[in-house]
Amino acid sequence: MDAMKDILEEYTDEEKLWGYFPIAYFHNRWKSLGYKDFKPADYDFLGYSMRAVAGTALPQGKEQLDAEPRTLNGWQLENLNKVLRVCSQLDGQVLFVIAPNNDGNAGYYRYIQDVVTKAGFDYINATGYLEEMGIEIGDMRDISHLTMYGAEKYTTWLSGVVAEKYNLPDRREQANYKSAALYESEYEDYLENKVNHGVMLGKYLESITETRYSVLIAARDEASAGLNNEIVERLRKLGLRTTPAGGYRSAYLGVVDHGNLLLEQVGEPEGTEPLQASGALADGTPFILQSGGNQSSNHASIIVDGVEYAVNSRGLNIVVYDNFAHKVIDSVAFDTFDQSLAATRGIPNLPELKISAEEVSAPKVTGTSRVEGIEIPNGQKARVRFDDVQHGKTLYLSLDANDIYNILLCRGERVYALYTVWQEPEQNNLRSTQIELSDGDAAAGFDSLMIVPVKGDGKYSVGHIIVL
């Protein structure tokens, strides 16, 4: 127990419960416990996994209902009879239920059904109703257990069956039903957790295909090779038309707002030009998207309401905006280059190098040695702050020529515009260039510039920045 406490020291209370109770108290596997037993692989909902075991097939279905009865052994039958005796003393109706499974015990379940119904009680083997529930691959964690997604479908189906069978009213709208508000609050939390902990791309797309969500997508590097027909169909149900399929190493952008396709752009396979788009969601929330394939910037950016949310990993970077709560509830990247479609979360928080406007006010001509500029350490970004809000129309600047940089215009900590400075691989020193701002960006003004290296040799430098 002391060893377990040490291992779980940095875990949350919820994770500690996950580690203590199922392992120490229930399974009693002391001789075979290993590291993975103490480190949950996936987030779960009260024990329901978010992931199915690879290769898990669907249960037999209605065939289970026709299985030949298999007699229980002595102590099993004794315990069943004890349960029936207790049920016979209850003032109410009793329903025996078998959850969907494929554990090879269909004959025993059929025997139990005969005993239970003969005693006058109701019985349902839910495995016979998979089609009615909509159970599919990904809804079964293994042969005996549902994933969270399957449990949701099973719960919805079973509650409907029970409500109809026993004529149960919906009491949530009754004035004296005090749990209604708590139920709604907990359900909202459940929906958010279901999205921001999803790890199976197909089921994840299914969970965000609702009008309450707006979905913003930007591909990075290569995002097409691992897309199978099921995933492509899910993307189409989400609202996309072209999808990234077939675009090897190409850039891709997509925005579905309230179930409607707001924009979709697809780059050329192995194209050298990234894609960039901006706009606003139906509630007015602004966004800026950028996608670079392997041969271009190899970078993904999803800025929502002035904040960068992209995980910026290989594959499809996805940000989900809740239109009811008016906030981003998830950012995830699925590696759709690989068949595993692995999910990654964690928005990069690059250290920020602070630069004053005076430090970069002296112009540097093209060809000036990069060491005469200010070095931006690899893995960092730089921010140049101005004494007042700038409304200039043109940015004159010099940056290390053989790198690609994103230049972000900021007011306070929020980003409202993004421009890209391209590389000149043949050059090794500073290159002077200029950026013409749009009329809207110039009118809005900015009090700082963010310089973010997105691709290069790991040696980055800024020479000067002048706003006119």
Side-chain angles (χ1 to χ4, degrees), residues 148-298:
M148 181 276 299
Y149 303 101
E152 184 180 76
K153 292 180 179 180
Y154 173 46
T155 300
T156 301
W157 173 83
L158 182 61
S159 62
V161 169
V162 171
E164 181 178 358
K165 185 177 182 65
Y166 302 106
N167 195 29
L168 302 180
D170 186 342
R171 303 183 186 276
R172 287 174 294 175
E173 301 301 323
Q174 295 181 7
N176 62 346
Y177 192 74
K178 297 180 181 180
S179 299
L182 176 62
Y183 166 83
E184 295 297 341
S185 175
E186 290 184 346
Y187 185 61
E188 289 297 311
D189 290 342
Y190 166 81
L191 291 178
E192 182 171 334
N193 279 322
K194 182 172 73 167
V195 172
N196 62 34
H197 289 90
V199 291
M200 292 191 296
L201 179 55
K203 306 307 293 182
Y204 182 84
L205 293 172
E206 178 184 291
S207 69
I208 58 176
T209 306
E210 298 182 28
T211 56
R212 73 173 291 153
Y213 301 123
S214 292
V215 182
L216 304 94
I217 302 175
R220 177 186 169 180
D221 191 351
E222 208 300 296
S224 67
L227 294 178
N228 55 40
N229 292 335
E230 177 207 346
I231 300 301
V232 171
E233 183 60 27
R234 296 280 191 196
L235 289 168
R236 294 192 190 283
K237 287 183 178 180
L238 181 66
L240 303 175
R241 294 174 184 167
T242 306
T243 81
Y248 183 67
R249 287 182 168 179
S250 67
Y252 176 86
L253 297 175
V255 178
V256 177
D257 186 17
H258 287 81
N260 301 311
L261 182 61
L262 190 59
L263 71 86
E264 189 174 30
Q265 297 181 14
V266 185
E268 292 295 324
E270 301 199 66
T272 58
E273 295 292 329
L275 299 174
Q276 184 169 320
S278 60
L281 302 176
D283 66 359
T285 301
F287 63 82
I288 304 170
L289 303 180
Q290 188 180 75
S291 168
N294 179 273
Q295 302 302 310
S296 57
S297 65
N298 198 0

Side-chain angles (χ1 to χ4, degrees), residues 138-437:
D139 291 330
M140 296 296 300
R141 183 190 183 278
D142 50 37
I143 62 173
S144 301
H145 302 90
L146 294 160
T147 62
M148 181 276 299
Y149 303 101
E152 184 180 76
K153 292 180 179 180
Y154 173 46
T155 300
T156 301
W157 173 83
L158 182 61
S159 62
V161 169
V162 171
E164 181 178 358
K165 185 177 182 65
Y166 302 106
N167 195 29
L168 302 180
D170 186 342
R171 303 183 186 276
R172 287 174 294 175
E173 301 301 323
Q174 295 181 7
N176 62 346
Y177 192 74
K178 297 180 181 180
S179 299
L182 176 62
Y183 166 83
E184 295 297 341
S185 175
E186 290 184 346
Y187 185 61
E188 289 297 311
D189 290 342
Y190 166 81
L191 291 178
E192 182 171 334
N193 279 322
K194 182 172 73 167
V195 172
N196 62 34
H197 289 90
V199 291
M200 292 191 296
L201 179 55
K203 306 307 293 182
Y204 182 84
L205 293 172
E206 178 184 291
S207 69
I208 58 176
T209 306
E210 298 182 28
T211 56
R212 73 173 291 153
Y213 301 123
S214 292
V215 182
L216 304 94
I217 302 175
R220 177 186 169 180
D221 191 351
E222 208 300 296
S224 67
L227 294 178
N228 55 40
N229 292 335
E230 177 207 346
I231 300 301
V232 171
E233 183 60 27
R234 296 280 191 196
L235 289 168
R236 294 192 190 283
K237 287 183 178 180
L238 181 66
L240 303 175
R241 294 174 184 167
T242 306
T243 81
Y248 183 67
R249 287 182 168 179
S250 67
Y252 176 86
L253 297 175
V255 178
V256 177
D257 186 17
H258 287 81
N260 301 311
L261 182 61
L262 190 59
L263 71 86
E264 189 174 30
Q265 297 181 14
V266 185
E268 292 295 324
E270 301 199 66
T272 58
E273 295 292 329
L275 299 174
Q276 184 169 320
S278 60
L281 302 176
D283 66 359
T285 301
F287 63 82
I288 304 170
L289 303 180
Q290 188 180 75
S291 168
N294 179 273
Q295 302 302 310
S296 57
S297 65
N298 198 0
H299 181 83
S301 180
I302 304 176
I303 299 170
V304 181
D305 199 18
V307 180
E308 176 65 79
Y309 286 102
V311 175
N312 191 26
S313 289
R314 184 177 70 179
L316 291 183
N317 290 261
I318 302 174
V319 169
V320 181
Y321 181 85
D322 189 325
N323 297 306
F324 292 178
H326 300 286
K327 66 176 183 178
V328 170
I329 62 170
D330 192 30
S331 175
V332 61
F334 288 93
D335 187 358
T336 48
F337 168 75
D338 190 88
Q339 296 294 331
S340 67
L341 302 174
T344 302
R345 285 184 170 82
I347 303 167
N349 184 19
L350 302 179
E352 186 175 296
L353 174 67
K354 294 178 172 56
I355 303 174
S356 67
E358 290 74 18
E359 292 179 275
V360 288
S361 60
K364 306 288 193 304
V365 299
T366 294
T368 302
S369 172
R370 63 176 297 277
V371 299
E372 295 186 36
I374 296 177
E375 180 183 358
I376 304 175
N378 192 22
Q380 294 192 25
K381 58 188 177 184
R383 186 189 291 269
V384 179
R385 294 192 180 275
F386 300 92
D387 293 333
D388 50 19
V389 177
Q390 305 292 303
H391 292 281
K393 188 73 166 47
T394 306
L395 295 179
Y396 296 91
L397 67 164
S398 59
L399 298 161
D400 197 357
N402 59 1
D403 305 312
I404 299 177
Y405 299 83
N406 277 344
I407 310 299
L408 286 67
L409 308 186
C410 307
R411 286 289 294 265
E413 299 303 313
R414 296 195 171 272
V415 178
Y416 73 89
L418 185 158
Y419 294 85
T420 302
V421 177
W422 296 101
Q423 63 185 353
E424 292 288 347
E426 297 79 12
Q427 298 187 29
N428 295 314
N429 296 311
L430 297 177
R431 174 169 59 100
S432 297
T433 187
Q434 66 185 58
I435 298 174
E436 297 297 328
L437 305 185

